[in-house]
Amino acid sequence: MGVDFIRCLPAELLAEIFILCLPAPASWTDDPILPTPIPGVSQVSRYWRNISLSTPQLWTTIGLVLDEESFCSYPLDISIIFAGSDDGLDLQPILDILIPHCERWYRFRIHMPWMDSFHKQFMPIRNRLPSLVELDLNLPPFGDPPQLPGTMFEIAPRLRTIFIDSPSYFVLPWAQITHWSSHRWELGIGRCVTILNSTPELVSACFLLDTLITDPIPPGALVPRSSSLTSLTLAVVHQDELPVVLSLLNLPALCQLSISISAPGLPWDRSALTAFLGRSLLIQKLSLNNLNVSTRDLVQILGQTPLLTELTVEIISQYLRKPLNNRFIRSLTIDRLGELNIVPQLTVMNLHGDLQFLDRHLIPMIVSRRGASHGGDRDTFGILNSLCLNYISYHGNSPDASVIARLRTLEHQYDGLQITIARNSTDINQSFAYTM
């Protein structure tokens, strides 16, 4: 058997060969399209990839051949992502290259640890951002905050989308923002109220909230009422904080709501959520993750969403109650008289958790939602097209082969119906996952 000598070459020699494969600067003007060999050699094997990644010369030789017209007219999408500690981090050499072209910045994103010198280094871009549409500032607010908020992004007439972890560090054009999201650092309720009251054009928002943060509501602040906000995501640390947040909101145009609890606790008063949904009767998509609710609570919550078309319920903690049971499934079933009290327009349903219902309740629910078991006016109901059942059981509960076979028969019977079954949240694309 022959010997593959290329595998016997030492790493140092391979690194030198890779460096020699780089195109020479003298050839750049002859061929404006310069295919670099580096991505290719880094995908040959794990050994070659490790060598290429550990050879700095392969990644510090950059060749750009641009004609003057294209270079000066196209917008720039700038990303600065720093992975590692902030020891010795110096942005200035990079900014010396980028800032002269800030008038062409279309998107600007920077992910790095917060630095005291950030405001000073970026002040030259103030009032020079006519093309900026999206701003992504992932600057974890560690250390002491700046004495004064930075004003470098205050004037950006086209800016509409902001992702930011530390909004108090900057003066931003809130009145024109339509999309806002925090990354992964919680805000206090006071900051949430301030942002909502400052963004009359806001269409979608994502808040990571922790009411234990010392951030009181400003004196005289109005209850946020937005007639433009259609999509809201609330990620709350503690479940008992949710009523505090919801009681402050009045969003009559809301169409999409997602609520996630990081630390679900004791059972809570659902009245704040039902009251909020009663003020937001246009909701069509609802996602509830880790809420500690009973079956009765969940049914009453859904009773406030008559236009709901897509429902996702994820209850995956072993300490929560189990609302995804037979009673819940029966509440979703259209009876033979065509009567239904909750979510009549539902077409997509995703259930994740300790699913306690039996197939003798599940099958009739699916059949009724396809219009085959009642004589009512079918036009008043939606048609269930997609059903995902993700069994996350702490008691060994999972569907057997007979259930899967019956669901397969249903899918063949009804055109357009798609059913997905998985044993746990990581198995949807693995061996047990079954899409019929």
Side-chain angles (χ1 to χ4, degrees):
M1 184 175 181
V3 179
D4 191 352
F5 291 101
I6 194 68
R7 298 182 180 272
C8 301
L9 293 177
E12 296 81 1
L13 182 56
L14 276 173
E16 289 297 327
I17 294 174
F18 295 164
I19 294 173
L20 292 175
C21 291
L22 291 171
S27 66
W28 292 355
T29 55
D30 299 330
D31 186 4
I33 301 177
L34 297 172
T36 174
I38 304 309
V41 299
S42 65
Q43 296 174 11
V44 170
S45 66
R46 182 177 300 177
Y47 179 51
W48 281 31
R49 178 176 177 79
N50 292 337
I51 294 174
S52 62
L53 292 178
S54 60
T55 307
Q57 294 92 324
L58 301 180
W59 310 101
T60 56
T61 302
I62 302 173
L64 297 175
V65 179
L66 301 171
D67 61 86
E68 183 177 355
E69 180 180 356
S70 63
F71 180 72
C72 296
S73 61
Y74 280 91
L76 299 178
D77 190 335
I78 307 295
S79 297
I80 302 175
I81 300 175
F82 181 80
S85 67
D86 57 351
D87 297 336
L89 176 60
D90 184 10
L91 276 181
Q92 198 57 52
I94 300 175
L95 297 181
D96 290 341
I97 299 173
L98 297 178
I99 287 181
H101 307 284
C102 63
E103 288 84 358
R104 293 164 47 213
W105 291 3
Y106 179 75
R107 292 188 182 93
F108 180 76
R109 60 179 66 89
I110 180 167
H111 296 194
M112 58 173 285
W114 170 255
M115 296 191 310
D116 294 336
S117 61
F118 186 92
H119 284 357
K120 180 180 179 180
Q121 290 178 318
F122 278 87
M123 278 308 293
I125 69 174
R126 175 175 168 77
N127 204 14
R128 297 176 56 194
L129 300 170
S131 303
L132 188 64
V133 171
E134 182 177 312
L135 179 63
D136 185 343
L137 301 176
N138 190 344
L139 306 168
F142 292 144
D144 297 329
Q147 294 182 351
L148 295 173
T151 60
M152 65 287 294
F153 301 109
E154 181 180 14
I155 303 175
R158 297 183 60 193
L159 183 60
R160 296 294 182 270
T161 302
I162 293 181
F163 303 89
I164 189 170
D165 273 326
S166 46
S168 61
Y169 287 16
F170 301 93
V171 177
L172 298 169
W174 292 110
Q176 66 192 46
I177 300 304
T178 58
H179 300 83
W180 186 89
S181 175
S182 55
H183 279 284
R184 54 193 178 95
W185 301 98
E186 296 86 3
L187 303 176
I189 187 62
R191 179 60 57 182
C192 172
V193 170
T194 299
I195 291 174
L196 288 174
N197 283 329
S198 303
T199 51
E201 302 298 324
L202 197 63
V203 175
S204 67
C206 175
F207 292 99
L208 278 67
L209 296 175
D210 187 348
T211 58
L212 299 181
I213 296 176
T214 305
D215 185 17
I217 299 175
L222 299 175
V223 174
R225 186 185 190 281
S226 173
S227 59
S228 61
L229 189 64
T230 60
S231 176
L232 175 64
T233 298
L234 291 175
V236 184
V237 175
H238 303 285
Q239 181 167 268
D240 53 358
E241 301 168 353
L242 186 59
V244 179
V245 177
L246 295 177
S247 64
L248 296 172
L249 302 178
N250 186 5
L251 308 173
L254 194 65
C255 296
Q256 182 171 340
L257 174 64
S258 176
I259 297 177
S260 177
I261 308 296
S262 300
L266 298 174
W268 59 294
D269 181 8
R270 69 173 188 282
S271 60
L273 179 54
T274 54
F276 173 77
L277 294 174
R279 300 191 299 269
S280 308
L281 295 177
L282 300 180
I283 290 181
Q284 299 176 12
K285 296 183 179 181
L286 178 64
S287 177
L288 303 175
N289 182 9
N290 253 14
L291 269 69
N292 189 0
V293 295
S294 65
T295 302
R296 180 180 179 182
D297 292 341
L298 184 57
V299 171
Q300 292 195 15
I301 289 170
L302 296 181
Q304 300 294 322
T305 57
L307 300 182
L308 194 69
T309 61
E310 183 173 327
L311 171 65
T312 299
V313 181
E314 300 182 10
I315 299 182
I316 59 177
S317 173
Q318 58 180 320
Y319 303 107
L320 301 186
R321 288 189 267 179
K322 304 175 178 63
L324 304 179
N325 56 15
N326 292 328
R327 181 179 177 182
F328 172 68
I329 293 298
R330 289 198 303 269
S331 70
L332 296 174
T333 304
I334 304 173
D335 65 21
R336 294 185 180 277
L337 298 178
E339 295 181 356
L340 179 67
N341 294 323
I342 63 173
V343 291
Q345 302 294 332
L346 192 66
T347 59
V348 177
M349 181 162 54
N350 305 299
L351 303 179
H352 308 261
D354 195 0
L355 308 184
Q356 297 290 324
F357 45 77
L358 302 176
D359 61 307
R360 63 186 176 91
H361 297 284
L362 176 64
I363 302 299
M365 185 275 292
I366 297 174
V367 172
S368 74
R369 291 264 172 185
R370 295 296 299 194
S373 66
H374 61 79
D377 183 3
R378 194 66 191 89
D379 294 337
T380 63
F381 299 99
I383 299 177
L384 185 65
N385 293 322
S386 176
L387 175 64
C388 176
L389 304 176
N390 194 358
Y391 288 78
I392 308 172
S393 176
Y394 299 94
H395 309 288
N397 182 42
S398 62
D400 56 26
S402 63
V403 176
I404 294 177
R406 295 188 67 182
L407 293 175
R408 178 191 299 165
T409 301
L410 282 182
E411 190 174 44
H412 290 164
Q413 180 180 349
Y414 298 114
D415 293 336
L417 176 61
Q418 180 177 5
I419 302 176
T420 303
I421 300 177
R423 192 187 299 272
N424 59 60
S425 59
T426 61
D427 279 354
I428 288 184
N429 294 314
Q430 297 180 9
S431 58
F432 184 83
Y434 180 68
T435 302
M436 291 172 281

